[in-house]
Amino acid sequence: MREEDLEVAIKVVIVGNGAVGKSSMIQRYCKGTFTKDYKKTIGVDFLERQIECDGEEVRLMLWDTAGQEEFDAITKAYYRGAQACVLTFSTTDRDSFEAIQCWKKKVEDECGEIPTVLVQNKMDLIEQSVVEPEEVELVSRALGCRLVHTSVKEDLNVNTVFRHLASRCLAELRASNEEDDTIPSNCLHPNMSVFESTHNAYKCEHGNGTIILRNGKSKNRKKKTLFRNTCTLL
């Protein structure tokens, strides 16, 4: 398979307490829309967007998980197979900030260390902030995550969050390919869509779990999904 025939698809989970703006963030990023009316996510929601990043076609599959404890057992299962994570808290919600380390641990328990961004959302309400910039910086450094300040309402830095994660994942994939340019035959599953492959469990034992799909631009080309590395996808 030629390198130019590959399309990279990255599963990204967006986690954090309820009402911090997770659903609004992916709606803004994928659909360009925003609503101020809060609607609690029941379990998991899913959207996707295709972008060009660092010279590659990248399909971002964004999984918006509920932040309420009653859905914890459901949503944790959807962390598995994720290649990137957005840790989100609200400028006006102290509890959401203090819960960030717990959210990171939940994702790590299922996915291990994956590229992660710490997002401080609702910066348009900075005058009502209940967190200090210094303590946010300290947590960002302690977690080893890039900090991005966003306002979904004003569409501030939302693109930055996901482009950074895509770039990080591409860099890791390229580094992995340089070390091992072969794809195990037991990791090849033909004729599966992105959504189907994300809902079915397959395990490979090489690399970082990034999904690679054949380029879908040609209607006559059969789509194949290649799973690299240690991964379990739902």
Side-chain angles (χ1 to χ4, degrees):
M1 184 181 297
R2 296 176 304 171
E3 187 70 23
E4 58 268 25
D5 289 337
L6 298 180
E7 176 192 74
V8 179
I10 302 169
K11 179 178 178 179
V12 183
V13 289
I14 296 87
V15 303
N17 283 11
V20 298
K22 301 186 301 295
S23 298
S24 296
M25 184 179 299
I26 69 169
Q27 289 284 337
R28 169 68 83 180
Y29 184 66
C30 295
K31 297 183 178 180
T33 60
F34 173 78
T35 176
K36 63 180 180 180
D37 297 325
Y38 174 62
K39 182 179 179 181
K40 181 167 65 175
T41 300
I42 306 299
V44 177
D45 197 8
F46 170 85
L47 286 174
E48 67 178 23
R49 175 176 170 178
Q50 186 164 328
I51 65 172
E52 184 175 340
C53 181
D54 299 339
E56 299 282 351
E57 290 293 323
V58 178
R59 187 182 303 277
L60 294 172
M61 303 181 296
L62 309 180
W63 293 80
D64 169 26
T65 59
Q68 291 76 20
E69 289 185 0
E70 62 263 34
F71 301 115
D72 190 54
I74 300 173
T75 58
K76 281 182 67 176
Y78 283 86
Y79 300 163
R80 298 170 194 159
Q83 289 91 32
C85 173
V86 180
L87 295 172
T88 314
F89 71 95
S90 169
T91 298
T92 60
D93 184 346
R94 180 78 191 182
D95 288 342
S96 70
F97 171 67
E98 294 179 348
I100 282 297
Q101 290 182 321
C102 179
W103 284 111
K104 189 170 191 296
K105 184 179 186 304
K106 288 180 180 180
V107 175
E108 285 183 346
D109 287 346
E110 300 296 333
C111 307
E113 289 283 349
I114 57 177
T116 301
V117 169
L118 176 62
V119 170
Q120 180 177 357
N121 191 33
K122 302 189 181 181
M123 292 301 291
D124 52 291
L125 302 176
I126 190 63
E127 293 182 357
Q128 304 173 33
S129 178
V130 294
V131 293
E132 296 296 329
E134 295 79 11
E135 59 184 343
V136 176
E137 289 285 352
L138 283 174
V139 169
S140 175
R141 288 198 294 269
L143 297 179
C145 301
R146 177 178 174 179
L147 172 63
V148 180
H149 301 96
T150 67
S151 168
V152 174
K153 179 180 179 181
E154 298 182 355
D155 199 12
L156 173 67
N157 290 335
V158 175
N159 285 336
T160 299
V161 172
F162 297 104
R163 184 162 290 278
H164 171 73
L165 289 176
S167 183
R168 282 278 310 278
C169 289
L170 283 173
E172 290 193 2
L173 177 61
R174 287 165 176 165
S176 175
N177 286 343
E178 288 177 0
E179 295 176 2
D180 180 9
D181 60 1
T182 61
I183 299 175
S185 59
N186 65 333
C187 295
L188 179 61
H189 302 275
N191 303 323
M192 295 190 67
S193 69
V194 176
F195 197 77
E196 289 170 335
S197 67
T198 311
H199 277 77
N200 290 277
Y202 292 97
K203 295 183 179 180
C204 287
E205 298 189 356
H206 303 277
N208 66 5
T210 301
I211 309 167
I212 306 176
L213 304 176
R214 293 200 69 165
N215 193 310
K217 292 181 179 179
S218 172
K219 294 183 179 180
N220 297 323
R221 181 180 291 161
K222 290 185 178 180
K223 184 179 292 186
K224 295 185 179 181
T225 306
L226 312 182
F227 297 88
R228 299 199 54 156
N229 313 320
T230 305
C231 56
T232 305
L233 300 184
L234 296 180

